[in-house]
Amino acid sequence: MPITTISTIAELRERLDRVRADGGQVGAVPTMGYLHDGHASLMRAARADNDVVVATIFVNPLQFAEGEDLDDYPRSLDHDTELAEAAGVDFLFTPSVDEMYPFGPVLTTVTVSEVSAGWEGITRPTHFAGVATVVAKLFNITGPVHGYFGEKDFQQLAVIRRMVDDLSFPVTVVGCPIVREEDGLAMSSRNVYLTAEQREAAPVLRGALDAGLAAIDGGERDPNAVTAIMAALVESEALAELDYVAAVDAATLATPDRLSGEVRLLIAAQVGKPRLIDNDGVTIH
Ligand code: PAF
């Protein structure tokens, strides 16, 4: 069926209640818009698993701190609608800030401690509470059986998984692989901020992940040795300012004494205006 755009909670609920009353399962793909192939891959995964797919586009003020790019976050509703329709989305939910937060500042928030504290949480201490709160709200509005999120925001995925487990949301969280440009740069709505020169430098993050993975493949099990190799590579690129590199346990995001089991390499660097993040995983037997 052609895509239907809905901007009120009441109307979306009514339409999705009808789907559920007829025995249909809903899959939800929360996004902030300015959609790219990474989002399309989440939508296609949702299309394959569910009777009805709802994608949400909401630039959530709660997850932006003062001085971040809330006001100039890129937006492109026409393009987004086309992309979502081509990926098989049935309903596009595009609420306003007033629709989502009609009473002004929210008094009820969801905080997933510990998993939110390190890495991104150090530079963005209020970010994950904003994400968890809006995702909880979007789950309550859309009532999905499955919720789809990209592995690119690996810490966000870990936070959402933990929130769903801790609060017993009846939702299965599906993490989808990172979609990359040909030169390895992870797709992100914020890549649009890169100048041509910075865009050329940006794949250094992918290069650092590859160097870390190669070290592990070569038998290195000391997380500090792995991250030193990754950091040296990023520091060799003048346009990239390293924020952090980490070799962590994929579930807890804590740094172990020795790498084993499911390991995730995380990296964040400022490249011009955007702060880019990336990650990759390996299983050590
Ligand atoms: O990943 C995003 O685009 C956002 O953080 C999300 C999950 C849609 C919540 O606003």
Side-chain angles (χ1 to χ4, degrees):
M1 70 178 183
I3 195 164
T4 303
T5 301
I6 294 176
S7 54
T8 67
I9 295 172
E11 190 189 344
L12 185 69
R13 277 213 171 113
E14 197 201 308
R15 300 291 291 263
L16 296 180
D17 279 350
R18 268 193 260 152
V19 169
R20 284 182 286 265
D22 290 343
Q25 282 196 348
V26 175
V29 185
T31 82
M32 297 206 302
Y34 209 69
L35 304 177
H36 50 66
D37 282 354
H39 297 109
S41 75
L42 306 181
M43 293 169 183
R44 284 193 295 269
R47 177 72 281 157
D49 298 343
N50 303 277
D51 300 304
V52 166
V53 177
V54 55
T56 71
I57 296 184
F58 178 61
V59 182
N60 171 39
L62 276 191
Q63 67 191 76
F64 290 77
E66 195 96 342
E68 290 187 352
D69 57 345
L70 172 62
D71 292 336
D72 50 355
Y73 194 83
R75 291 159 214 248
S76 59
L77 190 56
D78 289 347
H79 160 84
D80 289 356
T81 307
E82 267 176 42
L83 181 144
E85 180 156 33
V89 170
D90 301 297
F91 294 107
L92 194 61
F93 181 50
T94 58
S96 65
V97 173
D98 282 350
E99 179 68 15
M100 288 292 277
Y101 303 123
F103 311 109
V106 289
L107 301 184
T108 308
T109 56
V110 180
T111 302
V112 183
S113 57
E114 291 186 31
V115 189
S116 301
W119 318 125
E120 288 302 291
I122 293 169
T123 35
R124 308 185 75 192
T126 57
H127 174 67
F128 288 118
V131 170
T133 302
V134 81
V135 170
K137 196 168 163 88
L138 290 168
F139 281 171
N140 282 334
I141 292 167
T142 58
V145 169
H146 301 108
Y148 296 80
F149 299 87
E151 286 185 345
K152 158 129 182 313
D153 294 294
F154 196 78
Q155 191 172 3
Q156 166 173 284
L157 183 60
V159 165
I160 293 168
R161 284 192 197 285
R162 188 58 196 246
M163 174 189 80
V164 161
D165 286 347
D166 282 351
L167 299 183
S168 303
F169 275 88
V171 180
T172 299
V173 174
V174 183
C176 298
I178 298 175
V179 178
R180 298 180 179 279
E181 306 285 357
E182 265 179 27
D183 61 4
L185 177 64
M187 287 194 183
S188 161
S189 303
R190 289 188 169 104
N191 290 349
V192 71
Y193 297 142
L194 294 165
T195 64
E197 218 189 354
Q198 292 158 357
R199 173 65 190 79
E200 254 181 55
V204 71
L205 274 74
R206 172 72 260 184
L209 291 170
D210 286 339
L213 291 174
I216 293 172
D217 196 38
E220 184 59 75
R221 295 293 179 263
D222 174 358
N224 297 325
V226 172
T227 53
I229 291 167
M230 295 169 66
L233 211 116
V234 178
E235 279 154 6
S236 71
E237 171 50 70
L239 296 180
E241 197 184 318
L242 184 65
D243 183 352
Y244 62 81
V245 278
V248 298
D249 176 279
T252 62
L253 303 192
T255 307
D257 292 336
R258 254 183 89 69
L259 297 173
S260 66
E262 294 298 324
V263 170
R264 205 83 190 177
L265 303 182
L266 310 176
I267 186 162
Q270 195 82 31
V271 182
K273 177 174 171 175
R275 199 166 148 282
L276 302 180
I277 57 173
D278 203 346
N279 67 85
D280 206 345
V282 60
T283 307
I284 300 177
H285 299 286

